[in-house]
Amino acid sequence: LLAVAEPADLAVEALRSLRTSLHFAMLEAKNNILTISGSRPGVGKTFVSANLAAVVAQAGQKVLVIDADMRKGSLHKVLGVQAGPGLSDLLGGKADLAAVVKPVGGMQGLSYLPRGDIPPNPSELLMHPRFAQLLKVVADQYDLVIVDTPPILAVTDAALVAAHAGSNLLVTRFGVNQAREIALTVQRFEQNGVPVKGAIFNAVQKRATGYYSYGYYDYRPSDARA
């Protein structure tokens, strides 16, 4: 958590600015659930999700950050905790809410829900009524719920999650995401009835280091067979 290790870092200051903008943007939202999404792996969704949650908690609010990427989610690595039990276990009926939601040590007001064990059917779990019920319960218990989703161009999970949220932000990465890829990402959300509230331009550098093609990405668990 950069917000804890290096609170004066420029990236953390930028997240504090986002915190302020988000406060006003969410006043008109249907609920206090925010999804952080992206087009492809490696753009920094989990970094943004975890550290935004931290700076909001540092401002005195009660925050829950959820790793809804049950395929390759890495929130537990950022927080230095175990991946399970977590969301997949809860949605699969193998654990209850009290067993999977835990406070972040040394961070008052901040709690987390890791991804859990990698299930064979992540999309189906997110479509189960248990997921909607979970979000309704935690939305009442916390001032802000931040959900880190899988990349939308890789799997449909992000759209399934974002449909429940009052606000959705898109993370793009400097030197990685091309304009047409970002446009396709926004289009994919809108096709599912999910408007994108805004974008976070991550890892900005003074000079671009190159250009990269885009497409559809292999998004199987790292231990899955080819």
Side-chain angles (χ1 to χ4, degrees):
L1 277 179
L2 189 65
V4 176
E6 299 289 342
D9 190 273
L10 289 177
V12 179
E13 287 296 333
L15 286 171
R16 292 192 184 102
S17 177
L18 174 61
R19 176 185 65 192
T20 302
S21 301
L22 189 62
H23 170 75
F24 294 103
M26 294 190 70
L27 290 177
E28 300 178 354
K30 65 180 181 181
N31 58 39
N32 60 342
I33 300 171
L34 168 69
T35 59
I36 305 292
S37 305
S39 59
R40 66 164 75 187
V43 297
K45 295 182 296 79
T46 302
F47 169 84
V48 170
S49 298
N51 283 280
L52 176 60
V55 298
V56 174
Q58 287 170 343
Q61 295 193 59
K62 191 177 180 183
V63 186
L64 173 66
V65 57
I66 300 175
D67 190 347
D69 186 345
M70 291 181 283
R71 289 176 169 86
K72 300 181 71 173
S74 59
L75 176 67
H76 61 286
K77 296 180 181 178
V78 174
L79 299 178
V81 297
Q82 296 297 315
L87 181 61
S88 62
D89 306 282
L90 177 62
L91 298 182
K94 300 177 182 178
D96 58 22
L97 189 60
V100 295
V101 173
K102 298 179 181 179
V104 175
M107 279 293 300
Q108 185 175 359
L110 180 59
S111 299
Y112 68 94
L113 172 52
R115 73 179 191 206
D117 293 329
I118 299 174
N121 56 342
S123 298
E124 287 74 15
L125 287 178
L126 293 172
M127 295 173 66
H128 195 280
R130 284 197 190 99
F131 183 63
Q133 293 167 1
L134 164 67
L135 292 181
K136 186 177 186 303
V137 169
V138 296
D140 291 336
Q141 295 179 350
Y142 294 86
D143 297 312
L144 178 64
V145 177
I146 298 178
V147 188
D148 180 19
T149 79
I152 185 68
L153 295 186
V155 288
T156 61
D157 301 12
L160 296 174
V161 175
H164 297 283
S167 301
N168 184 37
L169 294 180
L170 177 66
V171 177
T172 63
R173 192 175 185 90
F174 181 84
V176 174
N177 297 119
Q178 295 184 358
R180 56 179 180 170
E181 179 182 1
I182 298 170
L184 179 60
T185 301
V186 173
Q187 181 184 37
R188 185 67 57 83
F189 276 112
E190 291 178 343
Q191 287 173 344
N192 286 275
V194 178
V196 175
K197 195 81 169 182
I200 300 167
F201 200 25
N202 192 27
V204 177
Q205 300 175 7
K206 291 183 179 179
R207 297 179 60 187
T209 56
Y211 297 92
Y212 299 80
S213 63
Y214 79 101
Y216 298 91
Y217 310 102
D218 182 11
Y219 206 66
R220 293 170 293 178
S222 56
D223 57 350
R225 295 181 180 179

